[in-house]
Structure formats: C-alpha cells, structure tokens
Amino acid sequence: MDSSPHTPLVGAPNDEDTAAPAPQIFDTRDKPDRTTAPTSDPPQDTRRCFVCLVDEPEAALPSDWRMPCTCTLEGHEECLLDWIADLEAQGKDIKCTICKSPITVTERLDPAVQLSNYLSDRLSQWSPRILLGFIASSALVSSSIYGAKAIDWFAGPDAITNFLLNSDDVAAVLAVRREGQVPIENNELPVNMSHFAVLPLIAPALVLNRLPLGEIIAIPASILYMTLIDHPDEDLMWPPSAQRALSLYPVIQATYRHVHTTLSSTLERRWKAQAQKLLVQEATATEQPAAVEDRPEPAPEPAPEEDHMLAYGLNMLVGEEEIDNIDVINPRNRGPDFDRLLMNFLAGTLVWPGVCYGAGELLRLALPARFVTRPASGPATGILQQRWGRSLVGGYLFVVLKDAFFLWIKYRKTLNRASRHIKNARSRDSRR
C-alpha cells in the first residue's frame, strides 16, 4: 500500500516536506442561535424575577417567590426587599412601578420603629406648610416694618406714634419714654390693633395705586370713608386733616391721569405730523420725494387707559418712551427689557414715600419760613406747615415735573427722527 500504516496525530510535527493536511473536527453540539435577540417576555411556563431577571419554572417556584400586587410584578423575596430598601433610601413611595398599587411589607412589631416611621410621615406632610408659614410670616413682618417706615418717611415719627397708639394716650406714652414711668392703667400700652393690621397692606396698596386698576378700588373706598367714617365737621376746615387729604388723593390722581393722557395723546399726534413734514422737506432737499411723500400718516396711538394696565403703570413711573415696544400680555413678545422695567416699577413704587419726603424737604428749604413753619402757639395755618402736607404737595409736584420732562423727551425724539440715517460700514469693500 502506498499509505503509511501509522496515521499521524493531529497537530503532531511532520518531518516530511510535503505533509498531509490535518483533518477537520466538527463540533456536533447544539449551539445557541445568536442571530436572534432574546425576547423580553419569559419563556412559556416560567416566571421571571422583576429585579434579577432570572427565570424560574412555574411548576417548581422557589419558596421565597413573592407576588406583591395583582399585576405582573413578582420575584425573589430577597431581590424585592433589596429593591424596596433602595426605594426607602431614596425617600420614594413603596408601590408597583406598573400598576402603581402600594406594596405591603410585614415585619416584626417594633414600637421604636413604628414611632419613627409615624413621625417621619407626619413631618413630611407638615414640612411644606411649615416652610410656607415661615415665608408668609417673614413677608408679613417685612411688610409691616416697611409700612411703619413709609409713614415715618411721609409724615414723621410722631405720625407713626399717633397712628399706632390711641391719640388720647400719646402724651402718656411720651411721658413713659422720657421719664421711664408707666402712668397707664394696667401697665398696658394703648396699641390700636386695627391700625397695626393696616401696616402690611401699605406696600401692596402703593403698588396697586400705580395701576389704573387702583382707581376702581381706591375711589369708591375714599368716597365711602368721607361719607361714613370721616368727620363731617372737617368739610370747611383749613388746613385739612391728613385723613381728609389722603382720602381725596385717589380722586385727584385719577383726574390728573386722565388730563395727562388726553393732553399727551393730542401733543404726540401734533408732533408726529410736524416730524412728517420735516421728513418731506429733507427728502425734497435730497431729491428723493417719492420715497417719503407716499408714506401714509401714522395712525394715532390709543390712550394708555385703552391699552394694558401694567404698561400704563410702567409709563407713569419710568416714562412712556421706554416701553413703547413691550407687549405686556404675551410673555413671548415682552423681550428682556420687560423684567428690568417691572423691577424698576416695583422698586420705584416702594421708595415713593421717600421721594415725597425728599421733595417736601426741598419745598421747606426753598419757600419762605412763614409758609413752612408752624406757629409757636395755636394750630397750623397752612398745609405746608406740617411734614405730611409738604410730602403730599412735594409728591404732586414731582409727578408733574417728571411727566413734563418725559413728554419733552418724547417731543425731542419725535423731531429727531428726521435726522436719523443709517451709516455705511467702512470695511464693506474690503470684505468682498
């Protein structure tokens, strides 16, 4: 025979130059099909643990197999307890992730653990209310302090004393402050609680007073005060009391607001027509009349009362020319300047009593002494002889001067539109 009686071993070295190739050994074992991905559902007649994803035969489930809810959530008890421990550590509710039903865990009754769980649950329920109470009380105290300080700015320290204490006992309170004695019955200070409760409302009232919506509330309230609460014997008294003067303030403010709106709207239409003529004259001088003469006259802008209330409130404080292009209704069209103007509006409203006081002090320094100095004996003979009167009149004058200044600024801007041109970039040709 040509072939060798001995068959070489597979992989053994062969000394011959032309060795026969090694025979191929085929593995006849069943191999898993790796081309198909495993399905998410367990095989038939098996159960899959929710945590470890191990399949268990349905006919021989382990003794620790648990089904804590009526849906498909099931698994080994040890796995489920570890999962529940993670939920407890994260402060989450122990409930099924599928049907959201609560999972009941039984354990040995331990009074200390039960008490701790009960206190923890109650604290979780009351924590938002406690925090909200602290925030509300802080805001209430801060607003009360601001209200007292606003009265102090506007009318002086004696005014806040008379406001918070019964007027008949103010002399006794001042004696207590000077001599350190307590000549008051039952050693109690005569605090007027109704006036004390008004202090936190001063800041919101000032903000509301800046908006046209305040007229709907302030004017009926002032009329009600003058007819039902105010003393009728003060009708012909001069100077008027602070209560009577402040009760008339909403009516005077509303009247001035409407007069200012009508006057400013008329002047703006006249200025725009004048600016249009200037544009025509400039276009005629530059031999481009067609581009300007065919331009329609702009329609008159609506009065601020017909526009949005917040926009008008901002106009009255920061000037109309700053917010002409701000949409106060649609937040997407407001732009980044709306937040800045709103903060300026609120800040300016809160410092308004200080502005009135400063304007009143300027009046005291500018006017002759007989107009701003109270007589040595007897009652005051003029409204400017009292601090609250100077602050009130000074506030009126400040508003009038401020509105006149902003109206003049708008006039200058309207006329300056005829001289506005777009400047060409110097490096335009170099970029081509």
Side-chain angles (χ1 to χ4, degrees):
M1 298 180 59
D2 298 336
S3 60
S4 172
H6 301 283
T7 303
L9 297 177
V10 177
N14 196 341
D15 295 336
E16 298 180 359
D17 295 337
T18 58
Q24 297 181 356
I25 301 177
F26 297 97
D27 188 0
T28 59
R29 295 177 298 176
D30 295 336
K31 296 182 179 180
D33 187 6
R34 301 183 183 274
T35 60
T36 59
T39 60
S40 58
D41 297 332
Q44 189 177 3
D45 298 334
T46 58
R47 301 286 186 87
R48 178 168 294 176
C49 178
F50 169 74
V51 180
C52 66
L53 303 180
V54 173
D55 296 333
E56 299 288 352
E58 187 174 1
L61 290 175
S63 59
D64 64 340
W65 193 260
R66 296 292 180 265
M67 294 174 288
C69 67
T70 57
C71 67
T72 59
L73 180 64
E74 56 185 344
H76 304 98
E77 184 176 39
E78 183 178 359
C79 298
L80 293 175
L81 288 176
D82 292 340
W83 171 62
I84 290 174
D86 291 338
L87 293 179
E88 292 175 341
Q90 299 176 15
K92 298 181 179 179
D93 296 334
I94 304 175
K95 58 184 179 180
C96 178
T97 58
I98 301 174
C99 65
K100 306 302 179 182
S101 61
I103 297 176
T104 304
V105 179
T106 61
E107 56 184 337
R108 185 182 62 180
L109 182 61
D110 191 329
V113 175
Q114 296 294 328
L115 178 61
S116 175
N117 294 337
Y118 174 77
L119 295 178
S120 178
D121 294 339
R122 299 300 295 180
L123 180 61
S124 300
Q125 295 176 2
W126 282 94
S127 292
R129 305 175 188 177
I130 295 174
L131 293 178
L132 182 61
F134 274 111
I135 295 175
S137 60
S138 300
L140 182 64
V141 172
S142 301
S143 185
S144 300
I145 296 175
Y146 169 79
K149 192 61 179 177
I151 297 177
D152 186 9
W153 283 340
F154 189 84
D158 293 338
I160 187 62
T161 303
N162 297 334
F163 182 76
L164 294 179
L165 305 179
N166 294 329
S167 58
D168 296 337
D169 298 326
V170 171
V173 174
L174 295 179
V176 171
R177 184 180 301 174
R178 289 193 301 266
E179 303 176 5
Q181 300 177 358
V182 187
I184 303 175
E185 186 178 357
N186 298 329
N187 296 339
E188 295 181 358
L189 294 178
V191 178
N192 191 326
M193 298 306 298
S194 60
H195 287 180
F196 190 83
V198 173
L199 291 180
L201 303 179
I202 293 179
L206 289 175
V207 176
L208 185 63
N209 180 64
R210 289 286 179 173
L211 302 176
L213 180 63
E215 299 177 3
I216 303 176
I217 301 175
I219 293 180
S222 63
I223 296 175
L224 181 65
Y225 175 82
M226 288 187 293
T227 55
L228 299 180
I229 303 176
D230 200 3
H231 301 288
D233 56 352
E234 296 182 0
D235 293 339
L236 302 178
M237 185 180 66
W238 183 261
S241 63
Q243 292 82 357
R244 171 57 61 89
L246 292 178
S247 63
L248 292 174
Y249 175 77
V251 179
I252 298 175
Q253 183 189 36
T255 304
Y256 169 77
R257 182 175 291 173
H258 288 284
V259 172
H260 171 264
T261 300
T262 304
L263 179 62
S264 61
S265 300
T266 304
L267 292 177
E268 287 175 20
R269 288 194 295 267
R270 186 179 304 172
W271 295 340
K272 288 181 180 180
Q274 185 178 357
Q276 187 72 17
K277 293 180 181 179
L278 294 177
L279 288 174
V280 173
Q281 295 175 1
E282 184 179 357
T284 304
T286 56
E287 298 181 354
Q288 294 180 358
V292 180
E293 289 179 354
D294 297 337
R295 181 181 300 175
E297 184 177 355
E301 297 180 357
E305 291 89 357
E306 300 174 1
D307 206 341
H308 309 309
M309 291 182 297
L310 181 57
Y312 183 63
L314 293 174
N315 281 338
M316 293 295 293
L317 184 66
V318 299
E320 297 177 2
E321 70 283 350
E322 293 192 21
I323 62 170
D324 286 338
N325 299 323
I326 295 180
D327 188 352
V328 299
I329 294 298
N330 190 352
R332 297 181 180 179
N333 299 332
R334 289 177 179 176
D337 289 339
F338 178 80
D339 296 335
R340 176 181 61 85
L341 291 177
L342 181 60
M343 288 188 293
N344 293 344
F345 169 73
L346 295 177
T349 301
L350 295 179
V351 301
W352 175 245
V355 173
C356 294
Y357 165 70
E361 288 299 299
L362 291 178
L363 288 178
R364 185 178 64 85
L365 297 176
L367 295 177
R370 65 178 182 274
F371 293 120
V372 295
T373 304
R374 189 167 185 167
S377 61
T381 59
I383 191 174
L384 296 180
Q385 295 176 355
Q386 305 174 79
R387 178 168 171 176
W388 66 265
R390 293 192 298 271
S391 298
L392 185 63
V393 176
Y396 284 144
L397 293 178
F398 174 81
V399 171
V400 173
L401 294 177
K402 173 185 68 68
D403 290 340
F405 173 75
F406 282 125
L407 203 59
W408 180 70
I409 292 297
K410 178 166 288 189
Y411 166 73
R412 300 302 304 170
K413 285 187 174 182
T414 303
L415 295 185
N416 290 338
R417 289 178 182 175
S419 60
R420 299 180 68 185
H421 301 283
I422 298 177
K423 184 178 180 180
N424 293 327
R426 292 178 298 178
S427 58
R428 180 67 178 269
D429 296 336
S430 61
R431 292 198 303 264
R432 290 182 175 178

